[in-house]
Amino acid sequence: MSFFSVLFALLLEQARPLGRGNFIHVTMRSWVRWCARTLDAGKPVHGWLVWSLAVGGPALVALAIYWLLGLFVSWALAVLWSALVLYTSLGFRQFSFHFTQIRDALAAGDDALALRLLADWQHTSVKDMPRSEIIGRVVETSVLAAHRHVFGVLAWFSVLAALGLGPTGAVLYRLAEFVARYWQHQSEAHFQPVSDAAQSHARQAWAFMDWIPARLTAIGFAVVGNFEEAVDGWRRYAQQGNPSNDGLVLAATTGAVNIALRATSGPLYSPSHASTMPADEDVSAGRPAPELSHLAVVVGLVWRTVVMWVLLLALLTLARLLG
């Protein structure tokens, strides 16, 4: 039944996207902040404890409600609950808002405005850069946002839902990403310093949680884009040793849409991801520099990948019902 939850959540997210500063996200932010303030004593064991509570607590609550609805009320309501939790975990329209603003500024020839909007999206200062690099940064940030807010969420949701765990996967994935990013931001901004142990454990847990989704996203981009070039970019990047999940997704994107993506200066998605793209120029060698038309190509790539995964879930659901 995960297909129906996914379909309903995607349609609802397109029709009524959650606004910035909505109650659910504010509540989760307060919860994560409270966990760090209350339990983070700086030791490794406390780092794992605070992370487990911050991420696992809401996931267990979502699972308990799912099971209670299914056992004592009706499975239809349990499926609806899964869809609503997935809806709050997705963020398609939240990042597409930034993308649209920057694209419109670039189309109007206002590169200075596009640069300011990009800096606001990345929550950091961005130095002056040529137009092609601005477009490249927009592509990189958009692809990573689509991966983290859509494809990764769908991957974890689908797998754990198939195991009878309802919306647990969506909550685990989104909170794992948010905790690693938020604790780093809190410490760097000196709002509420979080211990190095807690931050390190959060980054390790996030890297583990994102390992499979990153590769699924790369595979999806390869299937709906230029397969041979995407796989070649993936292979070249992996040969450099110790590849990051974000870098792998971007390397596959480079080949899938035939564009030279580089991240040689400044952050991509947050200050901790300034070097996710490969340093080896061979990954982007011979590819054209980013142009405004590439933004539409990337949008098409993302939407085709969404449709592909929805159709795959539909076929798996149909096979299960017929079997």
Side-chain angles (χ1 to χ4, degrees):
M1 297 298 176
S2 60
F3 164 72
F4 299 105
S5 297
V6 169
L7 183 61
F8 179 78
L10 287 173
L11 292 176
L12 184 60
E13 211 271 337
Q14 289 299 308
R16 296 294 297 272
L18 288 173
R20 300 179 65 178
N22 61 81
F23 173 76
I24 296 173
H25 290 175
V26 169
T27 301
M28 288 296 100
R29 188 180 300 112
S30 300
W31 165 254
V32 170
R33 188 166 53 244
W34 179 87
C35 289
R37 184 174 62 248
T38 305
L39 299 176
D40 183 18
K43 296 183 179 180
V45 64
H46 296 132
W48 283 120
L49 177 62
V50 66
W51 184 90
S52 299
L53 182 62
V55 176
L60 289 176
V61 171
L63 176 61
I65 295 176
Y66 173 78
W67 278 349
L68 289 174
L69 288 174
L71 291 175
F72 299 107
V73 185
S74 73
W75 280 109
L77 285 179
V79 172
L80 178 61
W81 168 251
S82 290
L84 291 176
V85 173
L86 181 59
Y87 162 67
T88 61
S89 301
L90 293 170
F92 215 135
R93 293 289 295 276
Q94 293 176 37
F95 73 83
S96 65
F97 168 77
H98 297 283
F99 177 89
T100 302
Q101 281 191 319
I102 298 173
R103 181 194 61 192
D104 292 344
L106 290 169
D110 195 342
D111 292 1
L113 175 59
L115 192 60
R116 291 197 299 271
L117 292 171
L118 178 61
D120 179 64
W121 187 5
Q122 295 182 336
H123 300 290
T124 187
S125 59
V126 179
K127 66 178 183 180
D128 290 338
M129 60 183 69
R131 181 181 180 88
S132 62
E133 189 173 349
I134 295 176
I135 297 173
R137 292 290 186 89
V138 174
V139 171
E140 293 160 2
T141 308
S142 301
V143 167
L144 291 181
H147 165 64
R148 296 180 177 194
H149 288 273
V150 182
F151 303 125
V153 175
L154 292 178
W156 269 91
F157 173 82
S158 301
V159 171
L160 294 194
L163 298 177
L165 299 179
T168 310
V171 179
L172 285 174
Y173 183 84
R174 284 298 297 128
L175 279 179
E177 186 274 336
F178 174 72
V179 166
R181 174 166 48 90
Y182 185 68
W183 282 351
Q184 177 187 330
H185 170 71
Q186 288 288 91
S187 296
E188 292 177 346
H190 304 292
F191 293 142
Q192 180 190 327
V194 180
S195 69
D196 292 338
Q199 291 187 63
S200 176
H201 294 330
R203 287 192 296 267
Q204 292 174 24
W206 165 240
F208 171 79
M209 293 283 294
D210 196 40
W211 195 90
I212 292 179
R215 283 146 182 82
L216 290 177
T217 298
I219 292 172
F221 286 171
V223 171
V224 303
N226 189 322
F227 184 85
E228 292 184 358
E229 292 296 328
V231 172
D232 182 62
W234 181 346
R235 178 184 58 81
R236 292 184 183 184
Y237 178 56
Q239 287 176 346
Q240 297 179 26
N242 194 29
S244 71
N245 295 327
D246 288 349
L248 188 147
V249 171
L250 293 178
T253 305
T254 295
V257 297
N258 190 30
I259 181 176
L261 294 180
R262 297 286 295 166
T264 55
S265 61
L268 285 176
Y269 193 57
S270 72
S272 63
H273 301 103
S275 59
T276 54
M277 273 301 289
D280 188 347
E281 295 182 357
D282 287 343
V283 176
S284 295
R287 306 191 193 283
E291 299 178 357
L292 185 61
S293 59
H294 284 121
L295 297 182
V297 176
V298 171
V299 170
L301 179 78
V302 170
W303 273 112
R304 290 196 303 273
T305 307
V306 171
V307 172
M308 181 192 71
W309 287 119
V310 170
L311 289 177
L312 180 60
L313 279 175
L315 292 175
L316 292 175
T317 301
L318 180 62
R320 184 177 179 182
L321 292 175
L322 295 178

